[in-house]
Amino acid sequence: MTMIRCVSPVDGEVYAERPAIPLEMARQAVAHARLAQKAWARRPLDERVKLVLAGVARLNEMVDEVVPELAWQMGRPVRYGGEFKGFNERSNYVASIAADALKPLVVEESDRFERRIAREPHGVVFVIAPWNYPYMTAINTVAPALMAGNTVILKHASQTILVGERMVRAFIEAGVPADVFQNLFLDHDTTAALIAAKSFDFINFTGSVEGGRSIERAAAGTFTGLGLELGGKDPGYVMEDADLDAAVDTLMDGATYNSGQCCCGIERIYVHESLYDAFVEKSVAWVSNYKLGNPLDPETTLGPMANKRFAATVRNQVADAISKGARALIDPKLFPQDDGGAYLAPQVLVDVDHSMEFMREETFGPAVGIMKVKSDAEAIELMNDSRYGLTASLWTKDAERAARIGRDLETGTVFMNRADYLDPALCWTGVKETGRGGSLSVLGFHNLTRPKSYHLKKVTA
Ligand code: NAP
């Protein structure tokens, strides 16, 4: 029997393990989900919405267990208190728009005709979630999918193996029927076999580009709808009229919070030459204030990376950039807790360029590169010089200029004077290898349902 294991970054020991279920058992679980779906969809929308929100509330009651459990599984310091703010904000927002987002588009309602486009749930939705924000990334799809009348099967990341189990427990304790929302412990082969057998009516995958490719390959020829929310290499651009302190504060937080393990984390920053020196100096001071250490210690502000193999990627990229001429500005002596493994000191690199992997590939760690630019045109070219396209963060007082630059940017989201935030009222989406589809907002509901046209002629003449 294959075991799915979470090796804790806190101490390198196995923190939790669960047996991967055999294919036959997984098939039965999907069959139960399919059987339960029609009755679930027939319940009134407000009943489904209430049950989902009750599940969210039940999870909130588990805060004292959730917070240390997250620290053990993926290293986020307990002082940040879990993911409840975003988890609740997203759930409540999608609940507030569900009726509107799912209402039919009425084209004609007359004595002669009733013509409308209704929204139908897909059926069984499969959610594959990553470990970096394990509750928030899962709820982005789980909540609207259930509200829309789908049943949901969740497969969570090995690193956060307890998250799916806990979420489902909370929802069931709150009254969601067991077959409507299930967590399955699946290895990659069983996942691929289920997808290839067309077990699901829609799949939402959040994770790496490579993982997304595997899911797309497994689904090839099945015509299963896919939402793919993949990696990023998100840029910041600080213009000459920017509020310097605000830019440093938000961009450095965006680069390093959660040990830089955020899909929309800031990985590269382009600064107008007039502000460059000051920006670099303030950024180094900002980052130097972190206290790296055990995430269970309330004093710790920067925990270990979720796994020492993720930290190794960052170390390799940084070493490669330095070998090609980059300069590291954070003195390692400031962070004696860096153990060469999962505990990794933050880093700021200058004298970087796009020939370096560090400026091209996703780093997904608390390290950021800063480059000097002379003009908007140069900044746009550099920001677009990436195989990813999730968000870009523009710093200026001129909203028109930001909008103009935004039009030329190849990203799913353009921010002005903010970064690293997912607004549930807007569509979360990416371009290029960051994926396709979109979650949250009205469009997220549309992606979790299909249009069905009704053309009813009331008279025969
Ligand atoms: P990952 O290794 O691709 O894993 C993501 C999920 O997919 C996990 O549940 C994983 O299961 C599963 N998975 C991966 N390969 C699979 C395969 N071949 N067959 C079946 N399941 C597979 O990604 P990660 O390291 O957890 O997450 C970090 C990545 O996610 C980063 O690239 C980040 O940018 C991206 N991300 C993107 C967004 C977005 O909104 N665009 C949001 C968050 C994260 P196992 O853990 O069991 O392997």
Side-chain angles (χ1 to χ4, degrees):
M1 179 176 291
T2 315
M3 294 302 280
I4 299 180
R5 292 201 168 89
C6 160
V7 174
S8 172
V10 176
D11 58 4
E13 301 291 325
V14 173
Y15 173 66
E17 59 183 356
R18 296 287 184 271
I21 62 167
L23 180 58
E24 197 38 48
M25 203 186 274
R27 282 204 188 107
Q28 281 169 21
V30 177
H32 288 145
R34 194 162 292 289
L35 264 180
Q37 192 264 326
K38 291 237 164 3
W40 174 246
R42 256 184 249 118
R43 292 197 188 197
L45 173 63
D46 63 344
E47 202 177 306
R48 295 196 302 266
V49 168
K50 269 193 201 124
L51 279 168
V52 171
L53 290 184
V56 168
R58 178 69 194 105
L59 192 76
N60 274 257
E61 289 166 8
M62 300 174 175
V63 58
D64 292 344
E65 296 154 70
V66 167
V67 171
E69 200 172 82
L70 271 178
W72 278 105
Q73 288 177 97
M74 49 73 71
R76 183 173 315 126
V78 290
R79 66 182 291 127
Y80 297 123
E83 296 174 14
F84 288 99
K85 190 163 169 273
F87 187 82
N88 296 340
E89 183 189 19
R90 295 172 193 190
S91 309
N92 290 329
Y93 183 77
V94 293
S96 76
I97 62 164
D100 231 25
L102 295 169
K103 76 170 187 251
L105 187 70
V106 179
V107 178
E108 181 178 353
E109 203 155 14
S110 68
D111 294 346
R112 288 173 54 77
F113 283 105
E114 211 177 299
R115 291 155 64 220
R116 63 175 185 274
I117 306 165
R119 307 287 333 170
E120 289 274 315
H122 286 302
V124 182
V125 170
F126 187 32
V127 177
I128 305 179
W131 50 265
N132 63 324
Y133 283 94
Y135 284 101
M136 289 204 290
T137 52
I139 203 69
N140 290 350
T141 306
V142 169
L146 289 174
M147 288 174 189
N150 300 285
T151 50
V152 173
I153 304 254
L154 174 62
K155 177 236 168 301
H156 222 297
S158 308
Q159 192 69 47
T160 41
I161 193 72
L162 302 182
V163 169
E165 186 177 74
R166 184 177 283 286
M167 249 175 107
V168 165
R169 174 148 48 99
F171 276 54
I172 288 173
E173 285 176 11
V176 173
D179 289 342
V180 165
F181 182 27
Q182 301 178 66
N183 173 65
L184 301 185
F185 298 109
L186 298 173
D187 62 24
H188 289 191
D189 288 348
T190 306
T191 304
L194 288 174
I195 294 173
K198 201 170 171 28
S199 307
F200 307 107
D201 303 295
F202 187 81
I203 301 168
N204 186 275
F205 174 89
T206 308
S208 61
V209 172
E210 268 326 299
R213 277 209 181 92
S214 307
I215 299 306
E216 199 171 56
R217 267 196 298 270
T222 66
F223 307 122
T224 309
L226 286 181
L228 297 170
E229 300 179 22
L230 312 177
K233 185 78 189 169
D234 289 3
Y237 171 32
V238 182
M239 296 169 224
E240 68 284 353
D241 66 338
D243 177 335
L244 183 63
D245 288 330
V248 169
D249 193 43
T250 302
L251 290 174
M252 284 300 124
D253 184 66
T256 53
Y257 183 74
N258 207 33
S259 297
Q261 301 163 121
C262 178
C263 55
C264 54
I266 295 294
E267 300 220 348
R268 48 198 177 112
I269 303 174
Y270 306 100
V271 185
H272 189 266
E273 55 187 358
S274 60
L275 289 184
Y276 178 81
D277 289 340
F279 184 89
V280 170
E281 190 188 327
K282 283 174 185 270
S283 296
V284 169
W286 196 101
V287 167
S288 301
N289 278 330
Y290 266 123
K291 185 173 182 310
L292 175 66
N294 187 321
L296 296 152
D297 177 349
E299 297 294 311
T300 294
T301 52
L302 189 69
M305 293 195 64
N307 194 297
K308 67 178 182 196
R309 79 173 191 279
F310 306 141
T313 301
V314 186
R315 291 177 198 282
N316 290 339
Q317 282 190 12
V318 168
D320 176 69
I322 291 171
S323 78
K324 293 182 170 132
R327 271 188 305 130
L329 298 185
I330 301 294
D331 182 354
K333 286 205 269 316
L334 282 177
F335 296 94
Q337 309 86 346
D338 187 327
D339 63 352
Y343 289 83
L344 172 73
Q347 191 50 272
V348 174
L349 294 187
V350 291
D351 297 346
V352 287
D353 62 49
H354 282 213
S355 71
M356 299 165 184
E357 199 183 324
F358 180 74
M359 293 299 279
R360 290 196 323 271
E361 289 307 316
E362 188 171 37
T363 304
F364 222 56
V368 64
I370 308 179
M371 270 176 85
K372 191 187 291 185
V373 291
K374 285 188 167 54
S375 66
D376 289 352
E378 186 185 4
I380 291 167
E381 195 179 324
L382 287 165
M383 284 191 276
N384 284 341
D385 181 27
S386 172
R387 66 184 177 112
Y388 304 101
L390 188 56
T391 79
S393 170
L394 307 178
W395 288 80
T396 175
K397 297 190 176 73
D398 184 344
E400 266 179 40
R401 182 176 172 191
R404 204 165 52 241
I405 294 171
R407 276 196 296 276
D408 286 336
L409 292 179
E410 296 155 0
T411 60
T413 294
V414 174
F415 290 116
M416 183 178 94
N417 300 333
R418 73 177 312 172
D420 191 19
Y421 171 69
L422 196 158
D423 178 346
L426 299 178
C427 184
W428 192 243
T429 183
V431 296
K432 301 182 186 172
E433 293 189 23
T434 293
R436 64 183 150 96
S439 56
L440 296 165
S441 77
V442 172
L443 299 186
F445 272 106
H446 287 185
N447 287 337
L448 291 164
T449 51
R450 66 181 173 88
K452 186 170 187 180
S453 295
Y454 287 83
H455 192 150
L456 312 179
K457 190 174 174 192
K458 295 180 180 172
V459 287
T460 46

